[in-house]
Amino acid sequence: MLSFFKRFVNYNEREITRLQKIVDQINLLDDKAKALKDADFPAETKSLQESIRSGEKKLDEVLPWSFALVREAGRRVNNMRHYDVQLMAGVALHEGKVVEQKTGEGKTLTATTALYLNALAGKGAHLVTVNDYLARRDAGWMGSIFHFLGMTTSAMISGASLLYDPEFTDADAHDPRLIHLRTVTRKEAYAADITYGINSEFGFDYLRDNMAQQLSGVVQRGFTFAIVDEADSVLIDEARTPHIISAPYEQDTSKYFEYAKIVKQLSPETDYIIDEKLRTAHLTEPGIEKIEKMLGIENIYEKDFEMVFHIEAALKAEVLFKKDKEYIVRGSEVVIVDEFTGRLLEGRRFSEGLHQAIEAKENVAIQRESRTLATVSLQNYFRMYEKLAGMTGTAATEAEEFSKIYKTEVLVMPTHRDMVRIDHPDMIYKTEAAKFNAVVEDIAEQYKKGRPVLVGTTAIDKNEHLSHLLKKRGIPHELLNAKNHEREASIIAQAGKKNAITVATNMAGRGVDIILGGDLKTENIKTDAQRKKAQAEWQKEHEIVTELGGLYVIGTERHESRRIDNQLRGRAGRQCDAGETRFYVSLEDDVMRIFGGEQISSMMTMLKFPEDQPLSHSMVSRAIEQAQIKVEGFHFDSRKHVVEYDDVLNKQREILYKMRHSILFGVEQDIDAFNTTVQQTIDEQIASMGASFFALQESDPEMQDQFSVDVATLFNLDPKKLKSLIEGRDQESFTKYIEENVAKQLEEKKKTVGPEIWNQVIRSMFLSSIDQYWTQHLTAIEDLREGINLRGYAQMDPLVEYKNEAFKLFEKLLDSIRYEAIRRMMYVEITMNPHGDEHEGHNHAHYNYNETPKKSLAEQVQPKAVKPVKAEKKASSPSVSEPSAEAKKKLGRNDLCPCGSGKKWKKCHFPNMP
Ligand code: ADP
Ligand code: MG
């Protein structure tokens, strides 16, 4: 069997031949495009759009002509005519492939063809960049081409959105590419035909959209086509970083103490019902009335739905959780005691507000924490696109990963002109000190000649160490390791000038090109004569630097991944420029120490060499590369493993967001789907409660009373009537009775306010229930994830256990949402504003409705959404499954059977079982 790599090479050759044939077709249309007048281009676009949107033609059929148009537009507008290899790469991007095109080959221009073609369908085409600067630069730069073609272009950056508008001039912009960008709203930016944007903003907008309470708050319009620039950096290195939107847990902690006081005044049985076995605590109708009186409010549900939830948590804390049994108090901290092992679960907290309730009960400070409102990894965000493409200077070494995780093929494009860069074999030293001395010597020598040098280091401390050594030698240099993208870009842009010495960490994913002789400075140029002069000066410097051998790249260490080394090398020798690269390594380097193994060190002893003498031998270079391949494989495996964990929550998010979507969009756009979701929720709840009732009747008749009260409480019904139906063992009439009564109650509410407002009220109650529990679910899953490897599952695969547990939590989540949404629907009271009567009909503006949270989730969000790099191994303890959540649902098939056998209900006294 051929190796993955060998197969990949064969495949690549065939693909290039195939793509060349398509480019031949495009070339045939060249004259036709050249013959068009400038004004004809938008009209051509329009007719293409019509043929695509009407379904008359497919994208592939109009590809050659579209590409020919874009190429001609590029030539006329920016004086850049797509090379054949750029068209080839454009076709591959359109096909959803990851394209490797060396640095400086012109990926920015390459992407325009595929973006234009895919934007014809009218659903938006996205180009994803690694930083704000590149999003602006590329939108401004390529925006002129799209504008010429009759398409709009936007840029989405942190905290702002811009639209390319040639009528607009930004006086502050000194880069000509940034001049025509006008500020617009997020929604307008997404409405553009083509959107350039930083990767994290796409992710955050997705999360924010899924927290919107109103349709108008949604800004994105689907995930049709995206090209990810610097794809390896975004889709592999950064892919797993979760994007998190969080909010402080509870700003006002005083209410926990208030609730703790309240529950002390309630009496068991009359005011609340507890169930020790199920560890639930529920308020009864009289209990609620009592609390309303104590607080001086009329309707507890009307004031704040979360209040009932918190009071019930306080109740559980009071009666079900005992100090020194379920938890201990140490100083001012409440620490959980593991119910199985009796060990302290350091740093862990009970979920669903219970921990805070216990803290209030014990009168210690409530620990504020930020809660995750929404989270998605870039990887999962990008996997939502119908078609995903990528481009980068270095993808080939990662072909297997792209194919397995993103199901995209990698294609390596030939360079436009032949490469003349010289890559020297590695220089190997015994010690790190000797290595750095040699590096400084090499730099000093180049500096004397005036040749520009780019030095790559793997970490900030090494980077600063080298800078220190250079300072001692009196060699001026630029140091690059901070995250200032604008400045970073300008440093790199000038790194090709005579005498420029640049010391940088990790060059991957920077997206700025090093031009020999530096960037042509255009800021102060006013006249043609000035331009000519500047151009001539640049040309002279360019030639001098070329004469000196072009850019000289020094690597001071081999990175763990060959790809990162290739990124660094790739900075030299762009577009047939002269250039040289060399890596310096020492036996003390991490890669060598950790992964080099016996092979290298025995080679070293065999080849015996002194401390300060380098060794340069292709055999050693090969051995190093082997070590790197080993590390890459190791990392790939661990990423693959992590993806399997991520997939679990990702599926759940998809399901939940879909449900949320049907509720959010339903009222305006699909009322049938909306009504179905609401009705189903009610039906499912009745059915599941009914099922548990009629099973329990046989095994545990004492629970009948409690359940009839519970059902009556939820649906606002008469418990006596329910009791008699249970006793009669007539599930059918039980169900019918609830259904009819619920429908009647809801019908009345609807009549009072009119269907329009009623639907909006339902929508907001559903959304707030979904959001509240989803947020809690995220925390629970986080805890589960952290704890799963620490659990002692003898012989069990933690992933399988994780999946099972996560599935249970998700079922619980859906149950809780259902229960809560219904409870809110049954108890909400809507009072019409009396002034509203002056107007005819029920105007939206004229109702008093107090259920919605004062602030929507999106508004509560901290302005700075955090993007933490999560430590993989946090010292943490097993997750604590939250017993109280049982309160929100009645018995499910997977719960323990109430008969006390310790078996699952479905395997024991479940009614349908033999
Ligand atoms: P990459 O992203 O592949 O590293 P860029 O898109 O930054 O490269 O482009 C590098 C340089 O090549 C830019 O200065 C651009 O103007 C130039 N360039 C790209 N394509 C062409 C072309 N077809 N004709 C002329 N110049 C081009
Ligand atoms: Mg680029």
Side-chain angles (χ1 to χ4, degrees), residues 80-83 86 102-109 137 141 513 574-575:
M80 289 196 286
R81 182 174 182 273
H82 296 64
Y83 309 128
Q86 288 177 319
K102 300 275 176 298
T103 307
E105 282 291 300
K107 288 186 278 293
T108 321
L109 187 67
R137 185 198 74 176
W141 191 14
D513 184 33
R574 57 175 285 279
Q575 295 185 6

Side-chain angles (χ1 to χ4, degrees), residues 122-372:
K123 292 185 199 155
H126 297 168
L127 191 129
V128 183
T129 67
V130 286
N131 62 43
D132 283 344
Y133 167 75
L134 290 172
R136 283 168 62 209
R137 185 198 74 176
D138 293 356
W141 191 14
M142 300 297 123
S144 55
I145 298 178
F146 295 124
H147 176 77
F148 181 84
L149 287 159
M151 279 196 182
T152 52
T153 312
S154 60
M156 213 131 45
I157 57 178
S158 329
S161 348
L162 306 160
L163 190 72
Y164 178 83
D165 178 359
E167 313 274 292
F168 173 82
T169 309
D170 180 353
D172 295 334
H174 42 245
D175 186 330
R177 292 171 295 200
L178 306 179
I179 288 174
H180 298 305
L181 294 172
R182 172 167 65 84
T183 304
V184 293
T185 65
R186 244 338 184 233
K187 208 165 181 146
E188 286 172 291
Y190 275 112
D193 292 301
I194 289 150
T195 302
Y196 287 78
I198 177 168
N199 51 41
S200 54
E201 287 302 308
F202 282 108
F204 283 136
D205 283 335
Y206 167 66
L207 295 176
R208 285 190 283 252
D209 276 1
N210 279 293
M211 296 180 351
Q213 301 296 313
Q214 309 284 335
L215 257 190
S216 57
V218 176
V219 298
Q220 290 187 334
R221 50 177 188 132
F223 313 97
T224 312
F225 177 59
I227 300 176
V228 179
D229 193 9
E230 310 294 352
D232 51 344
S233 176
V234 177
L235 297 181
I236 293 178
D237 300 337
E238 292 275 322
R240 276 224 57 250
T241 312
H243 283 59
I244 295 174
I245 294 186
S246 65
Y249 202 99
E250 282 296 340
Q251 288 295 5
D252 176 20
T253 54
S254 67
K255 67 177 178 203
Y256 289 110
F257 294 100
E258 190 184 345
Y259 299 149
K261 242 186 273 158
I262 288 174
V263 297
K264 284 200 171 57
Q265 298 169 48
L266 300 178
S267 359
E269 248 123 275
T270 48
D271 296 339
Y272 59 86
I273 305 161
I274 55 166
D275 184 320
E276 303 257 2
K277 228 183 288 166
L278 296 173
R279 298 186 79 77
T280 63
H282 266 316
L283 292 166
T284 61
E285 212 25 63
I288 285 172
E289 274 165 29
K290 198 162 171 182
I291 294 169
E292 284 167 351
K293 247 192 230 122
M294 276 191 257
L295 295 171
I297 52 175
E298 221 154 84
N299 185 343
I300 198 171
Y301 294 102
E302 200 175 286
K303 182 152 182 282
D304 177 1
F305 266 101
E306 292 205 9
M307 189 187 251
V308 178
F309 168 82
H310 283 302
I311 292 177
E312 286 181 350
L315 201 52
K316 266 177 273 180
E318 180 65 27
V319 297
L320 288 170
F321 285 75
K322 308 236 155 38
K323 188 165 138 186
D324 297 328
K325 183 159 179 280
E326 275 83 12
Y327 63 91
I328 60 152
V329 179
R330 189 178 57 196
S332 59
E333 201 186 347
V334 171
V335 188
I336 302 175
V337 178
D338 182 24
E339 68 174 304
F340 300 110
T341 64
R343 274 190 311 216
L344 294 183
L345 302 181
E346 301 284 351
R348 281 277 312 108
R349 292 173 68 79
F350 289 116
S351 57
E352 303 196 349
L354 185 59
H355 213 92
Q356 286 88 336
I358 295 174
E359 284 165 337
K361 170 187 164 192
E362 296 296 339
N363 213 8
V364 298
I366 309 279
Q367 292 193 15
R368 285 181 199 187
E369 49 187 40
S370 72
R371 59 179 166 165
T372 302

